[in-house]
Amino acid sequence: MKRFITLMLAVLFIAGTGMAQDKKQKKNPDIREVTFVTTIDCKNCVRKVEANLPYEKGVKDLKVKLEDQTVRIRYDASRTDKEKLAAAIRKLGYEAEEVTPGEAKQ
């Protein structure tokens, strides 16, 4: 009887672990990308943006280009949106205007 109970507990544990992994795999984040033209104009500005924006909720990746004054952000749309990201850039003291990737200077 003890063997049977042990075997059943093992089966339930393995089945439960498999279901938990399935739930994690089904939870696919909605990753999107946005580019902002900003008023950054020096290396210190770039460092300030790179140091602060990754801590915003939902930010997955960040590229700041001083040459064309752009900030490209990959983010989880279920956790944040473009408006909140633009507000975070403005909070740092820079303007942020959304552009399509083709509009940004290259």
Side-chain angles (χ1 to χ4, degrees):
M1 186 69 177
K2 287 182 182 180
R3 282 187 175 175
F4 178 74
I5 293 173
T6 305
L7 180 63
M8 291 305 293
L9 287 174
V11 169
L12 289 173
F13 176 76
I14 292 170
T17 304
M19 284 191 269
Q21 289 176 352
D22 287 342
K23 286 182 182 179
K24 287 179 184 177
Q25 290 173 354
K26 288 180 184 178
K27 187 179 178 183
N28 292 329
D30 182 11
I31 303 297
R32 297 185 188 178
E33 188 173 303
V34 63
T35 302
F36 296 103
V37 172
T38 65
T39 54
I40 58 173
D41 59 0
C42 67
K43 290 181 182 179
N44 288 332
C45 297
V46 171
R47 276 182 268 195
K48 186 176 180 180
V49 171
E50 289 176 338
N52 289 289
L53 280 186
Y55 294 104
E56 289 295 317
K57 188 184 294 188
V59 172
K60 299 296 182 189
D61 187 35
L62 173 73
K63 300 282 189 239
V64 182
K65 286 182 154 182
L66 178 59
E67 301 81 32
D68 56 4
Q69 296 180 311
T70 58
V71 177
R72 183 180 57 83
I73 304 170
R74 286 183 59 236
Y75 65 97
D76 182 350
S78 66
R79 302 193 69 206
T80 192
D81 57 33
K82 295 175 186 180
E83 291 78 23
K84 290 178 184 174
L85 296 171
I89 293 171
R90 289 186 192 105
K91 186 176 179 181
L92 295 173
Y94 308 106
E95 293 187 20
E97 182 180 330
E98 181 186 354
V99 293
T100 59
E103 285 183 54
K105 299 176 194 174
Q106 299 201 10

